[in-house]
Amino acid sequence: MAVITPPKYVKQVLITLQSRGYLAYLVGGCVRDMILGVHPQDWDICTSALPEQVQSLFAHTVATGIRHGTVTVMVGSHGVEVTTFRTDGGSLDHRHPEAVSFVGDLTSDLARRDFTMNAIALPPDGLLADPFGGVEDIQKGIIRCVGEPERRYEEDALRMFRALRFSARLGFAVEEETLHAIYRKAHLAVNLSAERVRDETEKMLLTKSPEILSLVIETGLLDRFLLHRGENLTPQFRALQALPRKAMPRWAGLCALLEQNGMITSAGDFLSALRLDGRTIRCCGDCCALLHTEPPQTKKSWKKLLNRCGVDTAMCAAQVSDALRGGKCREALRAVLKSGECFSVRHLAVTGDDLVELGLRGRALGEMLDFLLDYVMDYPENNRRELLLQLASGTEEN
Ligand code: ATP
Ligand code: MG
């Protein structure tokens, strides 16, 4: 297994804290990833220093989440999040602690963390601190709540999404009680903002196991956005794996599956409720509409589709069609795009201005452009200015 060590700028922050007599540890996702032999996405430090002590110790800091004890220390262009040891008080909204208290000891800080694998700390020059058996769980590939799962989900409903997301991302099993408690507490997910649910869903869609969403649905975590939970969805949802790991085709694939199972009224309604952006809503809506019809059979019908929906949506629909119903739409579409043949008035060898010069105006001009486009879709080699001008002026005389 590759030995991963923290970069110099991270060590510098740890050692500076330590040199002033504070405790300082790497903690959370970065320690988990180091044990797994994966390069961490970011490096988090926890410390006994209070936020203002951290601020006074380093020349460049950003008060990222000062109320929760987090200060970002800037080392050159790098930022390292440094958070004071804390415990979180109870939560009324099942998401945010009512109050956080700074504490002096590491174990209390680790106890507030979500899963055993995320509750391990590594000092700059010592042994791992692992009071909840996180290393063993990582070795066994298990996601387990720190403490009593139901209570932990009551404090923060987001943890239920995180459990399933980490399971999909790391290929880990969710420990029995940690999973069962999700079924029992899924209704608390109504307290999460739609944007949070969207972000978690998208992260899951982008893992190598997007079929985890069938379990998210089965547990009831998405009830608020669905008409019903469907049945035996996992085999169908595995088809999502075949889609490129990009947000657009994966959201489109998810919408198509939910539509197929009668679980949403439309992709547009579902994605709007989840606060997706306008472009994604439009593209997924168009993709789902296209999936209600047979895929194009001829080059010309592909070109017509490209003209109607644009390249991105057509490609997305082709990918979803191949993944969900088999076939070679993607290949067919690529061949059309590669041919460079015209499918839009923008690529016609004549412009609207040319037609104005021929005396065409308004509706007649629009109809002529459509006519010429249809013509060059049939005869791509005839997309030549002289020839099209001749065709257009000829028609005007009639
Ligand atoms: P990633 O690689 O996705 O960043 P991560 O484990 O680092 O994974 P973060 O969201 O960056 O996840 O959180 C950093 C650490 O903070 C976690 O490892 C965990 O210890 C703690 N944490 C984050 N969110 C929660 C939560 N909702 N409840 C309890 N602890 C949490
Ligand atoms: Mg992280």
Side-chain angles (χ1 to χ4, degrees), residues 28-30 32 41-44:
C30 63
R32 177 197 69 225
Q41 295 172 359
D42 42 40
W43 298 87
D44 292 324

Side-chain angles (χ1 to χ4, degrees), residues 293-358:
T293 61
E294 286 300 307
Q297 299 298 325
T298 63
K299 224 174 169 187
K300 182 171 181 187
S301 43
W302 274 114
K303 288 190 266 188
K304 285 191 148 183
L305 185 114
L306 280 165
N307 181 44
R308 228 176 36 245
C309 307
V311 177
D312 290 350
T313 300
M315 184 50 84
C316 192
Q319 289 163 340
V320 175
S321 175
D322 287 356
L324 266 52
R325 48 185 188 186
K328 294 196 180 324
C329 285
R330 205 183 328 191
E331 215 171 273
L333 178 57
R334 280 224 186 91
V336 173
L337 290 171
K338 198 163 165 220
S339 73
E341 290 173 15
C342 172
F343 57 81
S344 146
V345 286
R346 275 176 297 136
H347 304 130
L348 275 176
V350 290
T351 64
D353 288 347
D354 291 330
L355 300 186
V356 168
E357 279 199 16
L358 291 178

Side-chain angles (χ1 to χ4, degrees), residues 8-207:
K8 281 199 284 296
Y9 68 89
V10 175
K11 276 188 118 170
Q12 179 183 327
V13 177
L14 281 168
I15 296 202
T16 306
L17 283 161
Q18 219 182 22
S19 70
R20 297 299 165 97
Y22 300 114
L23 298 172
Y25 298 82
L26 288 172
V27 71
C30 63
V31 179
R32 177 197 69 225
D33 288 346
M34 284 165 84
I35 294 169
L36 283 167
V38 175
H39 279 279
Q41 295 172 359
D42 42 40
W43 298 87
D44 292 324
I45 290 175
C46 61
T47 180
S48 58
L50 293 169
E52 45 286 11
Q53 292 169 324
V54 177
Q55 282 172 316
S56 68
L57 200 50
F58 297 94
H60 302 288
T61 59
V62 184
T64 333
I66 207 91
R67 257 167 33 88
H68 297 106
T70 304
V71 172
T72 302
V73 175
M74 299 304 300
V75 185
S77 59
H78 300 286
V80 188
E81 285 202 353
V82 179
T83 304
T84 305
F85 294 154
R86 67 166 213 244
T87 56
D88 298 340
S91 123
L92 291 179
D93 67 353
H94 304 287
R95 172 69 190 117
H96 304 99
E98 284 303 294
V100 307
S101 334
F102 300 134
V103 292
D105 73 303
L106 172 68
T107 308
S108 308
D109 183 81
L110 293 178
R112 73 163 170 94
R113 293 175 184 272
D114 47 6
F115 308 113
T116 58
M117 63 176 187
N118 289 341
I120 310 170
L122 178 65
D125 51 2
L127 294 176
L128 286 172
D130 178 22
F132 304 103
V135 174
E136 191 184 338
D137 282 342
I138 291 175
Q139 280 159 355
K140 289 187 182 157
I142 290 175
I143 294 165
R144 184 195 310 273
C145 278
V146 173
E148 209 256 299
E150 286 199 26
R151 208 171 63 80
R152 301 313 310 281
Y153 299 153
E154 279 165 12
E155 287 167 3
D156 182 359
L158 188 71
R159 291 173 186 152
M160 297 184 275
F161 279 91
R162 286 173 61 88
L164 299 180
R165 165 156 70 83
F166 282 122
S167 163
R169 174 165 136 200
L170 304 172
F172 281 19
V174 183
E175 178 272 328
E176 210 177 310
E177 195 39 42
T178 300
L179 179 61
H180 284 167
I182 298 182
Y183 284 87
R184 291 195 292 271
K185 292 292 165 187
H187 59 277
L188 296 177
V190 295
N191 297 289
L192 300 172
S193 71
E195 288 80 359
R196 272 283 176 186
V197 177
R198 172 198 65 201
D199 293 349
E200 286 295 321
T201 303
E202 182 162 304
K203 284 181 188 171
M204 288 192 248
L205 279 173
L206 293 176
T207 66

